[in-house]
Amino acid sequence: MKRRLSRTAVPLACVLTLIGTPVLTSGTVATAGDRVPKPESVIGWVPCADYKLATYEQIADYYRALDKASDRMKLVEIGKTSEGRPQLMAIVSSEKNLKDKDLERYRKTSVQLSQGDALSAPEARDLAKNGKAIAWVDFGIHSTEVAGHQTAPQFAYDLVTSETPEARAIRDNVITLLVPNVNPDGGTKVAEWYRQNLGGPYQDAGYPELYQKYAGHDNNRDWYMFNLQETQNVGRQLFHEWIPQVMHNVHQTAVFPARISIPPYEDPLNPNIHPQVVRGVNLVGDAMGQRLEREDKGGALARQSYDIWWNGGARTAPYYHNQIGILTETAHASATPRVYDPATFPKTFADGTSTSEPSVFYPSPWKGGEWHLSQSCDYIKTASWAMLRVASDDRESLLYGASQMARDGARDGARTTYVIPADQADFPTATKLVDKLRWNNIRVEQAVSSFTVGNRTYPAGSYLVREAQPYRAAVLDLLNAQKYPDRRLYPGGPLEPPYDITGYTLSFQMGVTVEKLDQPVPATTRQVDWPAVPTGVVAGAPKYAYALDPRVNDSSAAVNSLLAAGEKVSRSGGEVTTRTGTLPAGTFLVTPAAGTDERVTSLATRLGLSIAAVDVKPAKVTTLAAPRIGLYDGFNNYDEGWTRLILDQFGFRYEKLTNAAVRAGDLRAKFDTIVLPDATYNSMRNGRAAGSLPPEYTGGMTDAGVAKLKAFVEAGGTLVTLNKAAQLPIKAFGVPVKDVTEGVADTRYNIPGSVLNLNVDSTDPVGAGFASTASAFVANGPAFEVEHGATGVTVAASWPKTNLLKSGFLLGDDVIGGKGAVVTAKVGDGQVVMIGFKPQHRAQSHGTYRLLFNAMYLGGQG
């Protein structure tokens, strides 16, 4: 596993690459005369002007110019984006604070206090007294929410140049980290799309594709996984290098017709979050609301839509690191002005609160009228200044509070240790879990020798996570089940929808065994910086074949590499006897040939695989070719993007399959396997409405395309459907399978993103390599019932009749209990594999990846 950064603090100049060098000396007044350029002098217009959107490159150029002209800013590159753009962060403070030696001291102080579980109270108070608050503002993680990144140039200029007593105090007391765009690639794409269509019929149609390479708008769902390059760039600063006490994550759009959504947020509250964090969120939210009112910016709304439960967002993940995370959602995500007619406003918000009459959390209702992008930008600036004012006024308390929360974590978690055993089958994936924990700056140890707790002996190499640590909240949240409360407006009514999902326990999703021990764990350990890939082993030269364990995800990565190199690979239909033991059905067998040993050894080393030698051919073996995979991409679909990321990570070769390509047909000549990511039948068949976008982006695969897909299967192809995409073969192919959840009211069946127990049949080719039980992430997916007397249908996995819920919330045990979760149906000479959930959910659920991999391999099996 690639080493990315050191836990040990190093001088700032060694950690960050400076982009620009200040041209003024520390004795020069940085804002004198025309020395500091205004944004319009670089961009070409005043930021947030009507019908104008600056690209990321233009905004970055302005930040560079501001950096060169002022000694109140240092500009640093924090990494490259998914498409190779430099991602920038500005550090703004007083001239004195930004001197390299002082700046590094203040950075270290923030880190020391945040991780200060070993500091005494007097030590922490002394550090806090002499430190500077670290505050964060990021402008635009969602690139179609344009006001954020368009605000970034003007906000930086104002913070650098303003000479009000408030601005001077903020620069003296606070080091502000400004990220002009969390998704630079999308920022440029959206701006260029708007310019291209300005004045035409599609001016306000919106960007039609994923603006982030893999996740699109779902890029705000990666903040405990760190799959995306941009998340890693920002997470490195948020959770390792600076660890700010307060952060503002800028979004659009507000809950209509409000002009901005601010804290306080809704219940439920995740009980793992420290009370100081929650109080801090409320404090900053109240300061934002008060400042907006004083500046005659009405329409600020609190306590609607956004809760404090789910981990994984740019604003929510900081809570589990004892940071005050603020999300604002400002109205009108467009550069095109608009007049809003109050007669068209909804009468109430979702909870029944009036949209027109004052209430406690909406005291100044917006009455409608004309609205411009510049107004949205002004609201963002006001909210950000309010947060910085709190950071300045409460500097010492915020810093000291970080150390208090760290000490509380060490105290409250003193009895508990989590052990990740090295003797589990898929230890390479367990090592990836450790990597995710380290991205979260969770302390991890590794045993240097075996140790015993009770009747269990753990081998050397096992990992230990002590609950007693500063970010105990993150440990609790990622390694324990969530218990989401049953929240309804009235008994028997619909569930009050959560902000995102309700259950996401990372160890469950990744299929990693983690044992929680509430007793002393006497082990000799070393601290883990970044986990090394397990030691790969090739157990001798075989007489028949090399055997790769089907229980290990990365066996697929190795197989794909070997197939690409021309090696002969097959799969076993039953157990395989090797020199080192027995492997289950589905074992990958690689026939030795010239160069095979070197390739196998190299892959074992790179991926941490234990590859065994087989001397006698098993009774049943099926040849495997690299399947020609088509990945359906009919429209802007996050699930397609996440699927693509996983296929890239594991070396599956694929081709994007558009609606036009589906309609054109001749699919069997081009593909062995076609994957339909999560989507409804109607959305795939109909696509976007004609006239809503340029013609190349509208219309679906149509009935003709559906017929072409069916012909593909009948001619011997394999169709794999994920989650609701199963509607297509059920409705259009005539498979003898029923979705028992169809038409069931959400008062009877509701799984708003939870982890369920899953029974797996490992003798089924799709279930190969699984134990009899697993965990699956589910979000209101289908459940299958095979018609009585049907033939050619097998069930690889099913929901247990009882004890379904593992983490989160579930309503509808009686609806799906005992029903099929993964079903394969013969159609002509081919087959359809319907997986009734997303086995690759947001590139998080490693524990069910193999269901997708096995299903795709069916297309390449002879």
Side-chain angles (χ1 to χ4, degrees), residues 174 234 337 463 527 642:
V174 181
V234 170
Y463 291 101
Q527 289 291 322
W642 289 119

Coordinates of all heavy atoms in Angstrom, one line a residue, residues 174 234 337 463 527 642:
V174 N -6.8 34.3 14.0 CA -7.2 33.1 13.2 C -6.3 32.9 12.0 O -5.9 33.9 11.3 CB -8.7 33.3 12.7 CG1 -9.1 32.0 11.9 CG2 -9.6 33.6 13.9
V234 N -7.9 17.1 0.4 CA -8.6 17.9 1.4 C -8.5 17.2 2.8 O -8.2 17.8 3.8 CB -10.0 18.2 1.0 CG1 -10.7 18.9 2.2 CG2 -10.1 19.1 -0.2
P337 N -30.3 35.3 -13.5 CA -31.2 35.8 -12.6 C -32.6 35.3 -12.8 O -33.0 34.9 -13.9 CB -31.1 37.3 -12.8 CG -30.6 37.5 -14.2 CD -29.7 36.3 -14.4
Y463 N -3.9 -6.3 13.7 CA -4.0 -4.9 14.1 C -4.9 -4.7 15.3 O -5.8 -5.4 15.5 CB -4.6 -4.1 12.9 CG -3.7 -4.1 11.7 CD1 -3.9 -4.9 10.6 CD2 -2.6 -3.2 11.6 CE1 -3.1 -4.9 9.5 CE2 -1.8 -3.2 10.5 CZ -2.0 -4.0 9.4 OH -1.2 -3.9 8.3
Q527 N 3.4 1.2 16.4 CA 2.4 2.1 15.9 C 2.4 2.0 14.3 O 3.5 1.9 13.7 CB 2.7 3.6 16.3 CG 2.4 3.9 17.7 CD 1.0 3.9 18.1 OE1 0.1 4.3 17.3 NE2 0.6 3.3 19.2
W642 N -19.3 5.1 -9.6 CA -18.6 4.3 -8.5 C -18.3 2.9 -9.1 O -17.2 2.4 -8.7 CB -19.6 4.2 -7.3 CG -19.8 5.4 -6.5 CD1 -21.0 6.1 -6.3 CD2 -18.8 6.2 -5.8 NE1 -20.8 7.1 -5.5 CE2 -19.4 7.2 -5.2 CE3 -17.4 6.0 -5.6 CZ2 -18.8 8.2 -4.4 CZ3 -16.7 6.9 -4.8 CH2 -17.4 8.0 -4.2

